[in-house]
Short mmCIF file of all heavy atoms in Angstrom, two decimals:
data_model
loop_
_atom_site.label_atom_id
_atom_site.label_comp_id
_atom_site.label_asym_id
_atom_site.label_seq_id
_atom_site.Cartn_x
_atom_site.Cartn_y
_atom_site.Cartn_z
N HIS X 1 74.47 91.02 70.46
CA HIS X 1 73.64 90.90 69.26
C HIS X 1 73.90 92.01 68.25
O HIS X 1 73.67 91.83 67.04
CB HIS X 1 72.15 90.87 69.65
CG HIS X 1 71.77 89.63 70.40
ND1 HIS X 1 71.87 88.37 69.86
CD2 HIS X 1 71.32 89.46 71.68
CE1 HIS X 1 71.48 87.48 70.75
NE2 HIS X 1 71.14 88.11 71.87
N LYS X 2 74.44 93.15 68.71
CA LYS X 2 74.70 94.25 67.78
C LYS X 2 76.17 94.34 67.36
O LYS X 2 76.47 94.85 66.27
CB LYS X 2 74.27 95.58 68.41
CG LYS X 2 72.76 95.68 68.60
CD LYS X 2 72.37 97.05 69.15
CE LYS X 2 70.85 97.16 69.25
NZ LYS X 2 70.42 98.47 69.81
N GLN X 3 77.10 93.88 68.21
CA GLN X 3 78.53 94.00 67.93
C GLN X 3 79.27 92.73 68.39
O GLN X 3 80.17 92.78 69.21
CB GLN X 3 79.11 95.23 68.65
CG GLN X 3 78.48 96.56 68.29
CD GLN X 3 78.82 96.99 66.86
OE1 GLN X 3 79.81 96.53 66.27
NE2 GLN X 3 78.01 97.87 66.29
N THR X 4 78.88 91.59 67.83
CA THR X 4 79.52 90.34 68.24
C THR X 4 81.03 90.39 68.05
O THR X 4 81.80 89.82 68.85
CB THR X 4 78.94 89.16 67.43
OG1 THR X 4 77.51 89.13 67.59
CG2 THR X 4 79.53 87.84 67.88
N GLN X 5 81.49 91.10 67.00
CA GLN X 5 82.93 91.15 66.72
C GLN X 5 83.71 91.87 67.81
O GLN X 5 84.95 91.79 67.86
CB GLN X 5 83.19 91.85 65.38
CG GLN X 5 83.04 93.36 65.37
CD GLN X 5 81.59 93.83 65.33
OE1 GLN X 5 80.66 93.00 65.25
NE2 GLN X 5 81.37 95.12 65.37
N ALA X 6 83.02 92.55 68.73
CA ALA X 6 83.71 93.25 69.82
C ALA X 6 84.15 92.29 70.92
O ALA X 6 84.97 92.65 71.78
CB ALA X 6 82.80 94.32 70.42
N PHE X 7 83.63 91.05 70.92
CA PHE X 7 83.93 90.09 71.97
C PHE X 7 85.08 89.16 71.54
O PHE X 7 85.15 88.74 70.38
CB PHE X 7 82.70 89.24 72.30
CG PHE X 7 81.62 89.99 73.02
CD1 PHE X 7 80.74 90.82 72.34
CD2 PHE X 7 81.48 89.88 74.40
CE1 PHE X 7 79.74 91.52 72.99
CE2 PHE X 7 80.48 90.56 75.07
CZ PHE X 7 79.61 91.39 74.37
N HIS X 8 85.95 88.86 72.50
CA HIS X 8 87.07 87.95 72.26
C HIS X 8 87.11 86.95 73.40
O HIS X 8 87.03 87.32 74.57
CB HIS X 8 88.39 88.72 72.19
CG HIS X 8 88.44 89.69 71.05
ND1 HIS X 8 89.16 89.46 69.90
CD2 HIS X 8 87.85 90.89 70.88
CE1 HIS X 8 89.03 90.48 69.08
NE2 HIS X 8 88.22 91.36 69.65
N CYS X 9 87.22 85.67 73.05
CA CYS X 9 87.19 84.59 74.04
C CYS X 9 88.60 84.19 74.45
O CYS X 9 89.52 84.13 73.62
CB CYS X 9 86.50 83.36 73.47
SG CYS X 9 84.78 83.64 73.00
N VAL X 10 88.76 83.89 75.73
CA VAL X 10 90.00 83.32 76.24
C VAL X 10 89.76 81.83 76.44
O VAL X 10 88.82 81.43 77.12
CB VAL X 10 90.42 83.97 77.57
CG1 VAL X 10 91.76 83.40 78.04
CG2 VAL X 10 90.50 85.48 77.43
N LYS X 11 90.65 81.00 75.83
CA LYS X 11 90.48 79.55 75.91
C LYS X 11 91.69 78.94 76.60
O LYS X 11 92.82 79.40 76.43
CB LYS X 11 90.32 78.95 74.51
CG LYS X 11 89.06 79.41 73.80
CD LYS X 11 88.89 78.71 72.46
CE LYS X 11 87.58 79.12 71.77
NZ LYS X 11 87.40 78.43 70.48
N ASP X 12 91.44 77.88 77.38
CA ASP X 12 92.55 77.18 78.02
C ASP X 12 93.13 76.15 77.05
O ASP X 12 92.73 76.09 75.88
CB ASP X 12 92.11 76.54 79.34
CG ASP X 12 91.04 75.46 79.16
OD1 ASP X 12 90.83 74.99 78.02
OD2 ASP X 12 90.40 75.09 80.17
N ALA X 13 94.08 75.35 77.53
CA ALA X 13 94.79 74.42 76.65
C ALA X 13 93.87 73.39 76.01
O ALA X 13 94.16 72.86 74.94
CB ALA X 13 95.89 73.71 77.44
N SER X 14 92.73 73.11 76.66
CA SER X 14 91.79 72.14 76.11
C SER X 14 90.78 72.76 75.15
O SER X 14 89.98 72.06 74.54
CB SER X 14 91.03 71.44 77.24
OG SER X 14 90.15 72.36 77.89
N GLY X 15 90.80 74.08 75.02
CA GLY X 15 89.87 74.76 74.13
C GLY X 15 88.62 75.25 74.82
O GLY X 15 87.74 75.84 74.17
N ALA X 16 88.52 75.07 76.15
CA ALA X 16 87.34 75.54 76.88
C ALA X 16 87.43 77.05 77.11
O ALA X 16 88.51 77.59 77.38
CB ALA X 16 87.24 74.82 78.22
N ILE X 17 86.30 77.75 77.01
CA ILE X 17 86.27 79.19 77.22
C ILE X 17 86.31 79.47 78.72
O ILE X 17 85.46 79.00 79.48
CB ILE X 17 85.00 79.80 76.59
CG1 ILE X 17 85.07 79.66 75.07
CG2 ILE X 17 84.85 81.27 76.98
CD1 ILE X 17 83.82 80.14 74.34
N VAL X 18 87.32 80.24 79.14
CA VAL X 18 87.50 80.52 80.57
C VAL X 18 87.46 82.02 80.86
O VAL X 18 87.68 82.44 82.00
CB VAL X 18 88.83 79.93 81.07
CG1 VAL X 18 88.79 78.42 81.04
CG2 VAL X 18 90.02 80.47 80.26
N GLY X 19 87.18 82.83 79.84
CA GLY X 19 87.10 84.27 80.04
C GLY X 19 86.84 84.97 78.73
O GLY X 19 86.74 84.33 77.66
N PHE X 20 86.68 86.29 78.80
CA PHE X 20 86.44 87.07 77.58
C PHE X 20 86.76 88.53 77.86
O PHE X 20 86.91 88.96 79.01
CB PHE X 20 84.99 86.94 77.11
CG PHE X 20 84.02 87.76 77.92
CD1 PHE X 20 83.65 89.05 77.54
CD2 PHE X 20 83.47 87.25 79.09
CE1 PHE X 20 82.77 89.81 78.30
CE2 PHE X 20 82.58 88.00 79.86
CZ PHE X 20 82.24 89.28 79.46
N TYR X 21 86.89 89.30 76.77
CA TYR X 21 86.87 90.76 76.90
C TYR X 21 86.03 91.33 75.77
O TYR X 21 85.84 90.68 74.72
CB TYR X 21 88.29 91.35 76.92
CG TYR X 21 89.01 91.41 75.60
CD1 TYR X 21 88.85 92.48 74.72
CD2 TYR X 21 89.92 90.41 75.24
CE1 TYR X 21 89.54 92.54 73.53
CE2 TYR X 21 90.63 90.47 74.06
CZ TYR X 21 90.43 91.54 73.19
OH TYR X 21 91.12 91.61 72.00
N CYS X 22 85.51 92.52 76.01
CA CYS X 22 84.69 93.21 75.02
C CYS X 22 85.32 94.58 74.78
O CYS X 22 85.46 95.38 75.70
CB CYS X 22 83.26 93.36 75.54
SG CYS X 22 82.16 94.31 74.43
N LEU X 23 85.72 94.84 73.54
CA LEU X 23 86.41 96.08 73.18
C LEU X 23 85.66 96.75 72.04
O LEU X 23 85.40 96.13 71.00
CB LEU X 23 87.85 95.79 72.78
CG LEU X 23 88.73 96.99 72.43
CD1 LEU X 23 90.18 96.72 72.83
CD2 LEU X 23 88.69 97.31 70.93
N LEU X 24 85.31 98.02 72.22
CA LEU X 24 84.56 98.79 71.24
C LEU X 24 85.43 99.91 70.69
O LEU X 24 86.06 100.64 71.46
CB LEU X 24 83.31 99.38 71.88
CG LEU X 24 82.39 98.37 72.60
CD1 LEU X 24 81.45 99.10 73.55
CD2 LEU X 24 81.60 97.55 71.59
N LYS X 25 85.48 100.03 69.37
CA LYS X 25 86.19 101.14 68.73
C LYS X 25 85.18 102.25 68.47
O LYS X 25 84.23 102.07 67.71
CB LYS X 25 86.84 100.66 67.44
CG LYS X 25 87.86 99.54 67.66
CD LYS X 25 88.40 99.00 66.34
CE LYS X 25 89.34 97.82 66.58
NZ LYS X 25 89.83 97.24 65.31
N SER X 26 85.39 103.37 69.10
CA SER X 26 84.37 104.42 69.15
C SER X 26 83.93 104.88 67.76
O SER X 26 82.75 105.21 67.57
CB SER X 26 84.88 105.62 69.95
OG SER X 26 86.01 106.21 69.32
N LYS X 27 84.84 104.90 66.80
CA LYS X 27 84.47 105.41 65.47
C LYS X 27 83.73 104.39 64.64
O LYS X 27 83.19 104.72 63.58
CB LYS X 27 85.73 105.87 64.73
CG LYS X 27 86.44 107.06 65.40
CD LYS X 27 87.58 107.60 64.57
CE LYS X 27 87.07 108.34 63.35
NZ LYS X 27 88.16 109.05 62.63
N GLN X 28 83.71 103.13 65.09
CA GLN X 28 83.05 102.08 64.33
C GLN X 28 81.70 101.69 64.91
O GLN X 28 81.02 100.80 64.38
CB GLN X 28 83.97 100.84 64.25
CG GLN X 28 85.29 101.12 63.54
CD GLN X 28 86.19 99.89 63.49
OE1 GLN X 28 85.75 98.77 63.74
NE2 GLN X 28 87.45 100.09 63.15
N ILE X 29 81.31 102.31 66.01
CA ILE X 29 80.05 101.97 66.68
C ILE X 29 79.09 103.14 66.52
O ILE X 29 79.43 104.29 66.82
CB ILE X 29 80.27 101.70 68.19
CG1 ILE X 29 81.40 100.69 68.40
CG2 ILE X 29 78.98 101.23 68.84
CD1 ILE X 29 81.12 99.32 67.87
N PRO X 30 77.87 102.90 66.05
CA PRO X 30 76.89 103.99 65.96
C PRO X 30 76.68 104.66 67.32
O PRO X 30 76.61 103.99 68.36
CB PRO X 30 75.61 103.27 65.49
CG PRO X 30 76.11 102.05 64.79
CD PRO X 30 77.33 101.62 65.54
#
């Protein structure tokens, strides 16, 4: 809810979400 842009979805060939990662850039996060 505070940093949605930090999440990235992994999709299979059909477009279904099968995983994700969350990456935070320290200088851009309060």
